[in-house]
Amino acid sequence: MKEANMDLPVSMGALLQTDFPEDAAYREDGLCVVGIFGKTTMQPGPLKETLINNLADKHIFSLFSGAEDGGNADSHIQALYQQESRVLYLLLSSVYDSQQLLRACQALSAAAVHSDAHDFWKGLDRQHCLHLLYMFSVCHVLLLVNPNQTFDVTYDRLFRALDALRQKVLPLIRAAIKDCPVSKEWKLNCRPCPPRLLFVFQMNGTLKVSNGSDSGGNLDKPKKHSPRRRLQHALEDQIYRIFRKSRVLTNQSSNCLFTVPANQAFVYVIPAMDEDPVGTLISQLRSNCILGDQESTPVVSGPRRYQQMRRSARQPSFGCESNSSLMGGQLVDCSLKEFLWQHVELVLTKKGFDDSVGRNPQPSHFELPTYSKWVQVAGRLHQVLIKNTEEEIAELATKVQSQLKVLEGFLDADTKFSENRCQKALPLAHSTYQSNLPHNYTTTVHKNQLAQALRVYSQHARGVAFQRYALQLHEDCYKFWSNGHQLCEERSLTDQHCVHKFHLLPQQGEKPDMDRNPPILNHNSRGRSTSSCNCGRKQAPREDPFDVQAANYDFYQILDEKCCGKLERIEFPVFQPSTPDPAPASNQAQRIPSEASGSGETEKLKEPSTAQSHTPGDPSLSLALSLGQSTDSLGPYGDGEGTESQVQQKRPSLVDRQPSTVEYLPGMMHSGCPKGLLPKFSSWSLLKLGPAKSYNCHTGLEQPGFLPGSSFLLPWDLVIRSRSEEDTGLTEPLDGSTSSWPAPNKTLVGKRGSTGGLGRSRRRDDTARVFVGFEYEDSRGRRFISCGPDKIVKVLGPGGTKDPATRVLNTDMPLYVPSPSQGRGLKPHFAQLTRLYIVVPDAPLEVTLNPQVQPGPLPCPVFHPEQTDLVLPSDGLWVLRFPYSYATDRGPCYPPKENQPLNNYKVLRGILKASTANPPPQ
């Protein structure tokens, strides 16, 4: 251990860790420990440091130190040991000193929130309390310094907090010092004696007393005591009365945190300092020089040395404190050193303090330790209370820190006020949250009610506990919501909530159970609608679906068994598993961004095709090409010579590739799904209702649910050319354009009454009629055929409709239209495109079906069946059933709201293409 230089003050940690070389003459003498703490102001010379200078008769502390030395704001204790006088001074500096307060303000971040700043200050308060408890445990005499002549009543609450904390940590301190070489009373009470607390006040300029007599103009009756002494007596009475009232002081001194003498002065008032600090320094220097001349006597040892020291202690040391002149018969005012030394003498002479009062006063224990013994005890207490560096007592130090909660009730008045305010605001916030609530509600309602509750809470809650109780309000409202009031968050494919409270779905083979918690139920939105089967000849009510399979497959399978199960159909390819437990395909590195897919489809529809070169006379030009669409996106169909090589040069489609038998597509087929995957079921259906003659253009479709006069299909007249009249043998576009119509004043061959050399054989101007109908159906089962994006077929008399189908084939048909039968409510009803009817005549025609649906604005993908470019066989009435709902692996595509434009939901043009078919070669 290093040797300590005690001419200058050192920190408490350094004092306990260094070896101080004591003089052999003083080694067995007792040691009196004097502690100094309190508050200071921004005066030029800090009061506590000045007291040390006065008591030690040395210039130890600078009078002009500042807070710009880069130190921290933590509390710390400095020690100054005067070996000759056997007094050890301990000086506590904390946040209650102006310099430490400035350091704390500099350390506190400007961006710190209110609660963090409060924790920072309260942390410094806890440090101050622990250091004070340490000083009350190792000192004999304590000096409480006040920067003015008024007693700060907050010390009463502080001392009560320290007393409560001391009672909590006494067992821990006893365990820490049980091996120290001190008496049993010290180990039991954890202190050498009940410390005596003295009070030092600084008189300000308003109470500065002149050197003249204070007799009020009457020189015959001078007062016995000076004004300063009368102030000291008044402060003593006030302090004693306050501490007795709050029971900080009791009759038995051994049970108190500290004691005050009953028959001695314990308050000292320092006269007002001169305003000139330079003059103060000069007067101090002059008095020191005079004192040095008087003390030129040789130094002696033994009892004479101690008596000489006592005499020197009674002599005035500084001119600013000695007011010892006799003022008109008044008693002489002693100096600060004389005031303190009368208490120090009781310690050094081992008399101790007898401060108990009452009828049966009990003597308190007292022990005067040597320096070495005191250092051992102080070191152990320093490890437990202030800074732990030894692993042996680390557990005790941790337990002491856990007992600091007892201080909150005494010192943290801000937190108590804030908690009281916040606790009163919580019931108001709870009632606001629960007002006008249904029994079960969704997350949106929960968040809205919580926002209202927080608004009410913020109007009443204040202080540092605001955030903590706001979090508690969050938790309370969430518990209320989740405890039987949480509505199922699942939304149907028509964007309606499930009406059940939070529940679990039944597993395969499991029955619903309402009694379980949470219950096992299927989703239900209480929404019902009427829909037709695949062929459209039977209608049935249906529940609001919550998954794609129930919407697009299960409902139609049930009706398929009752109605259209025996009809001829074209099956779309679906997933065929090769393993017993197939898995859905992962969407990593396979999911194409919707924006890219949507924009790509649009570009494909607009870019001209470069796969083939088409001339005006090319017979393979389809209706889609006549509309300016790409053959890559619509997949034109063509036969004849020269087309086979062109088909081989085309990129193979998804159907041409071998689909996976291990992974299946979890959603529906669309433009953004990975290639080579098929769904487990098809959301589309293509049925043949009968031959072409089963449709009567005069009566329309004879199916239930159609509005009167709206069940007629639209005619699509196509011009057919005979192979004998062509040189190339290729097909010819049959799009119903003006170039396909016969020349003026020329009758059509094949009709009754026509003339010509070819008779009934098909000639260049023969025509074939295809019937097309886009059927819409609303939620009430009302159906109608549309003859345009905003027009319904209406036939009032016989003969069928006169509107051609070219209008609906040459434009994007809307997927949703306003229903012609609106209800009484304000919410509009929409009819959805559900079926496409195609009557293919018995003629050399090839009608190709390629539906593409975009059920939402971009970046919504384009949906299509599992097989595209389907060639419909001739002589048949075919019906294509569209999906009821559209969904991807990301979620469903909901129907439009009342404020959304319907033109974003559409069926792309080019759904049908037609071309002439070559007869087989002879």
Side-chain angles (χ1 to χ4, degrees), residues 701-747:
L701 295 174
E702 297 179 355
Q703 293 183 359
F706 276 98
L707 298 178
S710 64
S711 62
F712 294 88
L713 305 183
L714 305 179
W716 183 22
D717 293 331
L718 302 174
V719 178
I720 306 174
R721 294 182 180 180
S722 175
R723 178 181 174 86
S724 61
E725 298 178 1
E726 295 294 329
D727 295 333
T728 59
L730 300 178
T731 58
E732 171 181 334
L734 301 175
D735 54 358
S737 60
T738 55
S739 61
S740 302
W741 290 94
N745 300 325
K746 193 172 184 179
T747 58

Side-chain angles (χ1 to χ4, degrees), residues 505-545:
L505 291 176
Q507 301 296 328
Q508 187 175 3
E510 187 179 8
K511 296 182 179 180
D513 188 0
M514 287 286 296
D515 297 331
R516 290 185 57 178
N517 187 20
I520 299 178
L521 296 170
N522 291 309
H523 293 301
N524 186 7
S525 66
R526 293 180 183 170
R528 295 176 63 91
S529 60
T530 302
S531 294
S532 303
C533 62
N534 286 327
C535 63
R537 295 182 297 184
K538 185 176 182 62
Q539 287 186 318
R542 67 181 302 169
E543 299 290 339
D544 193 13

Side-chain angles (χ1 to χ4, degrees), residues 555-571:
F555 171 78
Y556 299 103
Q557 284 297 108
I558 296 175
L559 294 182
D560 208 24
E561 299 174 356
K562 303 178 182 179
C563 177
C564 42
K566 298 181 180 180
L567 295 178
E568 180 183 352
R569 68 187 63 201
I570 296 179
E571 298 287 349

Side-chain angles (χ1 to χ4, degrees), residues 52 99 193 206 245 312 406 423 539 550 614 733-734 738 748 798 818 832 891:
I52 296 292
Q99 297 180 12
C193 68
T206 58
K245 189 78 172 180
S312 64
V406 73
Q423 288 173 0
Q539 287 186 318
H614 302 283
L734 301 175
T738 55
L748 296 177
Q832 180 182 351

Side-chain angles (χ1 to χ4, degrees), residues 248-556:
V248 174
L249 294 177
T250 59
N251 291 341
Q252 304 301 327
S253 60
S254 59
N255 299 329
C256 301
L257 178 68
F258 60 88
T259 65
V260 294
N263 299 318
Q264 288 179 288
F266 60 89
V267 172
Y268 185 82
V269 178
I270 301 177
M273 301 289 292
D274 292 335
E275 298 181 359
D276 185 12
V278 178
T280 302
L281 291 176
I282 295 176
S283 62
Q284 290 178 355
L285 179 61
R286 183 183 300 113
S287 60
N288 282 335
C289 294
I290 297 173
L291 190 61
D293 295 339
Q294 295 177 354
E295 294 180 351
S296 60
T297 58
V299 180
V300 295
S301 60
R304 295 184 61 189
R305 175 196 60 80
Y306 178 68
Q307 294 177 2
Q308 181 180 359
M309 182 268 300
R310 291 179 59 191
R311 286 195 299 270
S312 64
R314 293 192 181 96
Q315 293 177 359
S317 56
F318 282 84
C320 63
E321 297 178 3
S322 60
N323 190 15
S324 58
S325 60
L326 191 60
M327 297 169 56
Q330 294 179 354
L331 296 179
V332 178
D333 293 334
C334 63
S335 65
L336 175 62
K337 193 169 185 179
E338 293 173 342
F339 166 76
L340 175 63
W341 215 258
Q342 60 181 337
H343 303 280
V344 174
E345 282 182 355
L346 295 177
V347 177
L348 294 177
T349 56
K350 299 184 180 180
K351 293 182 179 180
F353 304 133
D354 187 13
D355 296 332
S356 298
V357 295
R359 294 182 180 180
N360 299 311
Q362 298 294 328
S364 59
H365 71 283
F366 176 83
E367 184 171 348
L368 183 65
T370 61
Y371 177 79
S372 59
K373 292 182 179 180
W374 182 87
V375 166
Q376 294 184 38
V377 179
R380 300 289 289 183
L381 292 180
H382 193 272
Q383 293 289 334
V384 174
L385 297 178
I386 297 180
K387 186 176 183 182
N388 178 33
T389 57
E390 297 182 4
E391 297 181 358
E392 300 177 359
I393 56 177
E395 184 179 357
L396 294 177
T398 304
K399 291 181 179 180
V400 168
Q401 294 293 329
S402 64
Q403 298 295 336
L404 293 180
K405 294 181 179 179
V406 73
L407 298 175
E408 297 179 359
F410 294 95
L411 302 181
D412 205 353
D414 296 341
T415 302
K416 290 186 65 176
F417 168 77
S418 179
E419 289 181 350
N420 292 334
R421 290 295 305 169
C422 295
Q423 288 173 0
K424 291 182 179 180
L426 273 184
L428 298 176
H430 288 157
S431 61
T432 302
Y433 174 82
Q434 299 176 15
S435 62
N436 300 325
L437 271 181
H439 188 269
N440 297 315
Y441 49 96
T442 61
T443 305
T444 303
V445 178
H446 165 70
K447 291 181 178 180
N448 292 336
Q449 292 295 109
L450 182 60
Q452 296 289 338
L454 287 174
R455 186 176 297 109
V456 173
Y457 170 78
S458 61
Q459 291 175 354
H460 297 84
R462 294 293 183 272
V464 296
F466 180 91
Q467 190 67 23
R468 177 157 55 90
Y469 281 89
L471 294 177
Q472 181 178 341
L473 177 61
H474 273 271
E475 295 176 359
D476 294 344
C477 294
Y478 179 78
K479 288 180 181 179
F480 178 83
W481 175 49
S482 59
N483 189 17
H485 298 279
Q486 187 174 1
L487 189 67
C488 179
E489 294 293 328
E490 191 68 22
R491 304 178 74 90
S492 69
L493 297 181
T494 59
D495 200 16
Q496 297 183 23
H497 273 290
C498 176
V499 296
H500 294 311
K501 65 179 182 180
F502 180 77
H503 63 95
L504 300 178
L505 291 176
Q507 301 296 328
Q508 187 175 3
E510 187 179 8
K511 296 182 179 180
D513 188 0
M514 287 286 296
D515 297 331
R516 290 185 57 178
N517 187 20
I520 299 178
L521 296 170
N522 291 309
H523 293 301
N524 186 7
S525 66
R526 293 180 183 170
R528 295 176 63 91
S529 60
T530 302
S531 294
S532 303
C533 62
N534 286 327
C535 63
R537 295 182 297 184
K538 185 176 182 62
Q539 287 186 318
R542 67 181 302 169
E543 299 290 339
D544 193 13
F546 281 82
D547 60 89
V548 179
Q549 183 172 353
N552 299 334
Y553 185 77
D554 292 344
F555 171 78
Y556 299 103

Side-chain angles (χ1 to χ4, degrees), residues 661-822:
T661 59
V662 179
E663 294 181 332
Y664 61 88
L665 187 67
M668 298 172 59
M669 292 288 292
H670 57 86
S671 58
C673 62
K675 297 182 179 181
L677 297 177
L678 292 175
K680 299 178 69 174
F681 59 90
S682 178
S683 300
W684 306 72
S685 174
L686 183 58
L687 299 177
K688 182 179 180 181
L689 296 180
K693 63 181 180 180
S694 62
Y695 173 72
N696 189 348
C697 62
H698 298 285
T699 59
L701 295 174
E702 297 179 355
Q703 293 183 359
F706 276 98
L707 298 178
S710 64
S711 62
F712 294 88
L713 305 183
L714 305 179
W716 183 22
D717 293 331
L718 302 174
V719 178
I720 306 174
R721 294 182 180 180
S722 175
R723 178 181 174 86
S724 61
E725 298 178 1
E726 295 294 329
D727 295 333
T728 59
L730 300 178
T731 58
E732 171 181 334
L734 301 175
D735 54 358
S737 60
T738 55
S739 61
S740 302
W741 290 94
N745 300 325
K746 193 172 184 179
T747 58
L748 296 177
V749 178
K751 291 185 178 181
R752 185 176 303 177
S754 63
T755 59
L758 295 179
R760 287 189 174 273
S761 63
R762 288 188 177 88
R763 298 178 53 188
R764 181 181 179 86
D765 49 1
D766 284 351
T767 62
R769 174 164 287 185
V770 178
F771 289 94
V772 179
F774 288 87
E775 179 204 330
Y776 291 83
E777 184 177 15
D778 62 7
S779 59
R780 301 173 183 175
R782 295 166 179 171
R783 306 160 65 187
F784 57 89
I785 303 295
S786 175
C787 60
D790 53 355
K791 188 176 181 182
I792 302 175
V793 172
K794 290 184 180 180
V795 178
L796 302 179
T801 179
K802 306 300 181 181
D803 296 323
T806 53
R807 181 184 179 187
V808 296
L809 294 176
N810 294 349
T811 185
D812 295 337
M813 289 296 291
L815 184 61
Y816 299 94
V817 296
S819 176
S821 301
Q822 295 290 334

